[in-house]
Amino acid sequence: MPSNPSLRAVRLRAPRRALGRRFASHGAPHYNEPSGWLFGEKPLPPGQKRVKEDWENIWYIGMFGSMAAAAVLLYYKPDTSIQTWALKEAKERMEARGEKYKYEPSS
């Protein structure tokens, strides 16, 4: 036992659970045991329909709506590649010098 009387009094009053938390010994880990069913849902009897939860429609709209928006935005994204800029610049400079930039085979 500690020689300090105030520490001794605290030890006597504190329940053992509180002392265990100090050392991070909380017991066994808490988690959902695997049940063998997909997402923990048992299959419904024949003829019954699964009832959706409130958040599911919002999740579907948000997820697939954002994918559709991203696809549209990527499709209409401006072309800012260096190759496109260089081709346009080369055509403008060749036209300014009076040269042809398209290949025309000799007959």
Side-chain angles (χ1 to χ4, degrees):
M1 288 304 255
S3 61
N4 188 346
S6 62
L7 187 60
R8 184 171 172 227
V10 169
R11 259 193 186 220
L12 291 175
R13 279 185 274 144
R16 192 162 278 298
R17 263 191 348 222
L19 292 174
R21 287 187 182 165
R22 179 174 178 208
F23 299 109
S25 57
H26 304 298
H30 301 285
Y31 65 95
N32 295 331
E33 289 286 335
S35 65
W37 305 108
L38 182 63
F39 305 121
E41 294 182 5
K42 292 182 182 176
L44 296 173
Q48 274 191 335
K49 194 173 181 183
R50 183 181 169 274
V51 178
K52 286 186 179 180
E53 294 188 23
D54 295 338
W55 59 268
E56 289 185 69
N57 286 333
I58 296 169
W59 188 87
Y60 289 131
I61 292 168
M63 183 65 142
F64 296 114
S66 62
M67 284 184 186
V72 168
L73 291 173
L74 284 172
Y75 183 77
Y76 288 108
K77 183 184 85 148
D79 186 10
T80 57
S81 68
I82 190 72
Q83 287 87 3
T84 305
W85 172 83
L87 180 63
K88 182 181 167 209
E89 186 72 20
K91 285 179 182 179
E92 289 174 0
R93 289 183 185 184
M94 289 177 81
E95 285 177 350
R97 289 191 302 245
E99 300 173 3
K100 293 181 180 179
Y101 61 87
K102 280 192 170 182
Y103 173 73
E104 295 175 4
S106 58
S107 37

